[in-house]
mmCIF file of all heavy atoms in Angstrom:
data_model
loop_
_atom_site.group_PDB
_atom_site.id
_atom_site.type_symbol
_atom_site.label_atom_id
_atom_site.label_comp_id
_atom_site.label_asym_id
_atom_site.label_seq_id
_atom_site.Cartn_x
_atom_site.Cartn_y
_atom_site.Cartn_z
ATOM 1 N N ASP A 1369 -28.047 2.981 17.066
ATOM 2 C CA ASP A 1369 -28.367 3.799 15.855
ATOM 3 C C ASP A 1369 -27.288 4.781 15.669
ATOM 4 O O ASP A 1369 -26.788 5.461 16.534
ATOM 5 C CB ASP A 1369 -29.702 4.464 16.010
ATOM 6 C CG ASP A 1369 -30.940 3.433 15.831
ATOM 7 O OD1 ASP A 1369 -30.582 2.306 15.294
ATOM 8 O OD2 ASP A 1369 -31.970 3.732 16.261
ATOM 9 N N VAL A 1370 -26.845 4.983 14.432
ATOM 10 C CA VAL A 1370 -25.863 5.904 14.132
ATOM 11 C C VAL A 1370 -26.330 6.596 12.801
ATOM 12 O O VAL A 1370 -26.998 6.211 12.002
ATOM 13 C CB VAL A 1370 -24.381 5.425 13.797
ATOM 14 C CG1 VAL A 1370 -23.903 4.679 15.143
ATOM 15 C CG2 VAL A 1370 -24.416 4.282 12.766
ATOM 16 N N THR A 1371 -25.757 7.833 12.578
ATOM 17 C CA THR A 1371 -26.025 8.617 11.391
ATOM 18 C C THR A 1371 -25.181 8.108 10.313
ATOM 19 O O THR A 1371 -24.175 7.483 10.450
ATOM 20 C CB THR A 1371 -25.779 9.954 11.636
ATOM 21 O OG1 THR A 1371 -24.337 10.198 11.848
ATOM 22 C CG2 THR A 1371 -26.569 10.513 12.849
ATOM 23 N N PRO A 1372 -25.504 8.340 9.046
ATOM 24 C CA PRO A 1372 -24.673 7.931 7.907
ATOM 25 C C PRO A 1372 -23.273 8.513 7.975
ATOM 26 O O PRO A 1372 -22.342 7.796 7.740
ATOM 27 C CB PRO A 1372 -25.399 8.394 6.684
ATOM 28 C CG PRO A 1372 -26.889 8.529 7.048
ATOM 29 C CD PRO A 1372 -26.882 8.863 8.561
ATOM 30 N N ASP A 1373 -23.220 9.791 8.482
ATOM 31 C CA ASP A 1373 -21.952 10.407 8.720
ATOM 32 C C ASP A 1373 -20.979 9.575 9.675
ATOM 33 O O ASP A 1373 -19.855 9.314 9.436
ATOM 34 C CB ASP A 1373 -22.045 11.825 9.248
ATOM 35 C CG ASP A 1373 -22.676 12.793 8.175
ATOM 36 O OD1 ASP A 1373 -22.698 12.373 7.055
ATOM 37 O OD2 ASP A 1373 -23.313 13.722 8.675
ATOM 38 N N GLN A 1374 -21.581 9.217 10.782
ATOM 39 C CA GLN A 1374 -20.864 8.394 11.668
ATOM 40 C C GLN A 1374 -20.488 6.911 11.278
ATOM 41 O O GLN A 1374 -19.392 6.473 11.449
ATOM 42 C CB GLN A 1374 -21.710 8.147 12.975
ATOM 43 C CG GLN A 1374 -21.901 9.439 13.766
ATOM 44 C CD GLN A 1374 -22.995 9.233 14.889
ATOM 45 O OE1 GLN A 1374 -23.838 8.460 14.779
ATOM 46 N NE2 GLN A 1374 -22.863 10.006 15.932
ATOM 47 N N LEU A 1375 -21.368 6.361 10.438
ATOM 48 C CA LEU A 1375 -21.070 5.104 9.837
ATOM 49 C C LEU A 1375 -20.023 5.197 8.751
ATOM 50 O O LEU A 1375 -19.065 4.286 8.657
ATOM 51 C CB LEU A 1375 -22.347 4.578 9.182
ATOM 52 C CG LEU A 1375 -22.267 3.054 8.737
ATOM 53 C CD1 LEU A 1375 -21.696 2.142 9.936
ATOM 54 C CD2 LEU A 1375 -23.522 2.569 8.132
ATOM 55 N N ARG A 1376 -19.915 6.335 8.068
ATOM 56 C CA ARG A 1376 -18.788 6.515 7.091
ATOM 57 C C ARG A 1376 -17.509 6.614 7.850
ATOM 58 O O ARG A 1376 -16.460 5.865 7.416
ATOM 59 C CB ARG A 1376 -18.973 7.825 6.284
ATOM 60 C CG ARG A 1376 -20.113 7.822 5.279
ATOM 61 C CD ARG A 1376 -20.102 9.067 4.430
ATOM 62 N NE ARG A 1376 -21.294 9.164 3.702
ATOM 63 C CZ ARG A 1376 -22.391 9.940 4.051
ATOM 64 N NH1 ARG A 1376 -22.208 10.691 5.127
ATOM 65 N NH2 ARG A 1376 -23.430 9.990 3.424
ATOM 66 N N ILE A 1377 -17.440 7.267 8.928
ATOM 67 C CA ILE A 1377 -16.150 7.279 9.733
ATOM 68 C C ILE A 1377 -15.867 5.899 10.321
ATOM 69 O O ILE A 1377 -14.696 5.527 10.341
ATOM 70 C CB ILE A 1377 -16.346 8.359 10.817
ATOM 71 C CG1 ILE A 1377 -16.496 9.815 10.251
ATOM 72 C CG2 ILE A 1377 -15.066 8.306 11.715
ATOM 73 C CD1 ILE A 1377 -16.848 10.879 11.285
ATOM 74 N N MET A 1378 -16.822 5.153 10.768
ATOM 75 C CA MET A 1378 -16.607 3.855 11.358
ATOM 76 C C MET A 1378 -16.078 2.914 10.199
ATOM 77 O O MET A 1378 -15.082 2.157 10.353
ATOM 78 C CB MET A 1378 -17.909 3.375 11.968
ATOM 79 C CG MET A 1378 -18.243 4.018 13.158
ATOM 80 S SD MET A 1378 -19.992 3.617 13.618
ATOM 81 C CE MET A 1378 -19.805 1.873 13.931
ATOM 82 N N ALA A 1379 -16.713 3.187 9.025
ATOM 83 C CA ALA A 1379 -16.196 2.294 7.996
ATOM 84 C C ALA A 1379 -14.737 2.451 7.510
ATOM 85 O O ALA A 1379 -13.917 1.671 7.177
ATOM 86 C CB ALA A 1379 -17.142 2.483 6.775
ATOM 87 N N ALA A 1380 -14.561 3.880 7.500
ATOM 88 C CA ALA A 1380 -13.029 4.272 7.137
ATOM 89 C C ALA A 1380 -12.117 3.721 8.142
ATOM 90 O O ALA A 1380 -10.911 3.192 7.877
ATOM 91 C CB ALA A 1380 -12.976 5.802 6.925
ATOM 92 N N ASN A 1381 -12.465 3.961 9.407
ATOM 93 C CA ASN A 1381 -11.524 3.431 10.522
ATOM 94 C C ASN A 1381 -11.310 1.882 10.421
ATOM 95 O O ASN A 1381 -10.387 1.372 10.910
ATOM 96 C CB ASN A 1381 -12.184 3.872 11.890
ATOM 97 C CG ASN A 1381 -11.857 5.447 12.119
ATOM 98 O OD1 ASN A 1381 -10.827 5.974 11.718
ATOM 99 N ND2 ASN A 1381 -12.725 5.969 13.015
ATOM 100 N N SER A 1382 -12.329 1.219 10.043
ATOM 101 C CA SER A 1382 -12.280 -0.293 10.006
ATOM 102 C C SER A 1382 -11.218 -0.569 9.020
ATOM 103 O O SER A 1382 -10.287 -1.504 9.210
ATOM 104 C CB SER A 1382 -13.620 -0.830 9.566
ATOM 105 O OG SER A 1382 -14.645 -0.657 10.512
ATOM 106 N N ILE A 1383 -11.081 0.093 7.816
ATOM 107 C CA ILE A 1383 -10.146 -0.158 6.884
ATOM 108 C C ILE A 1383 -8.702 0.189 7.397
ATOM 109 O O ILE A 1383 -7.735 -0.522 7.244
ATOM 110 C CB ILE A 1383 -10.423 0.664 5.574
ATOM 111 C CG1 ILE A 1383 -11.722 0.145 5.028
ATOM 112 C CG2 ILE A 1383 -9.305 0.418 4.538
ATOM 113 C CD1 ILE A 1383 -12.292 0.953 3.819
ATOM 114 N N VAL A 1384 -8.615 1.361 8.128
ATOM 115 C CA VAL A 1384 -7.484 1.833 8.600
ATOM 116 C C VAL A 1384 -6.963 0.890 9.651
ATOM 117 O O VAL A 1384 -5.690 0.557 9.792
ATOM 118 C CB VAL A 1384 -7.659 3.334 9.340
ATOM 119 C CG1 VAL A 1384 -6.408 3.730 10.033
ATOM 120 C CG2 VAL A 1384 -7.913 4.271 8.152
ATOM 121 N N ASN A 1385 -7.809 0.310 10.427
ATOM 122 C CA ASN A 1385 -7.276 -0.653 11.592
ATOM 123 C C ASN A 1385 -7.186 -2.098 11.037
ATOM 124 O O ASN A 1385 -7.129 -3.047 11.837
ATOM 125 C CB ASN A 1385 -8.410 -0.530 12.623
ATOM 126 C CG ASN A 1385 -8.400 0.736 13.275
ATOM 127 O OD1 ASN A 1385 -7.330 1.431 13.500
ATOM 128 N ND2 ASN A 1385 -9.598 1.192 13.676
ATOM 129 N N GLY A 1386 -7.186 -2.242 9.675
ATOM 130 C CA GLY A 1386 -6.905 -3.599 9.169
ATOM 131 C C GLY A 1386 -8.084 -4.488 9.068
ATOM 132 O O GLY A 1386 -7.909 -5.728 8.985
ATOM 133 N N ASN A 1387 -9.357 -3.978 9.075
ATOM 134 C CA ASN A 1387 -10.572 -4.794 8.930
ATOM 135 C C ASN A 1387 -11.271 -4.433 7.734
ATOM 136 O O ASN A 1387 -12.419 -3.747 7.801
ATOM 137 C CB ASN A 1387 -11.352 -4.764 10.160
ATOM 138 C CG ASN A 1387 -12.465 -5.780 10.230
ATOM 139 O OD1 ASN A 1387 -12.711 -6.453 9.292
ATOM 140 N ND2 ASN A 1387 -13.087 -6.018 11.416
ATOM 141 N N PRO A 1388 -10.837 -4.574 6.455
ATOM 142 C CA PRO A 1388 -11.551 -4.152 5.179
ATOM 143 C C PRO A 1388 -12.842 -4.853 5.077
ATOM 144 O O PRO A 1388 -13.746 -4.324 4.454
ATOM 145 C CB PRO A 1388 -10.480 -4.475 4.139
ATOM 146 C CG PRO A 1388 -9.692 -5.646 4.629
ATOM 147 C CD PRO A 1388 -9.545 -5.355 6.156
ATOM 148 N N THR A 1389 -13.015 -6.047 5.536
ATOM 149 C CA THR A 1389 -14.207 -6.754 5.496
ATOM 150 C C THR A 1389 -15.413 -6.014 6.076
ATOM 151 O O THR A 1389 -16.415 -5.781 5.555
ATOM 152 C CB THR A 1389 -14.134 -8.237 6.014
ATOM 153 O OG1 THR A 1389 -13.149 -8.884 5.281
ATOM 154 C CG2 THR A 1389 -15.497 -8.998 5.880
#
Side-chain angles (χ1 to χ4, degrees):
D1369 287 342
V1370 295
T1371 66
D1373 295 333
Q1374 292 170 330
L1375 190 56
R1376 291 190 192 99
I1377 296 173
M1378 291 168 60
N1381 284 331
S1382 295
I1383 297 172
V1384 170
N1385 294 325
N1387 192 347
T1389 300

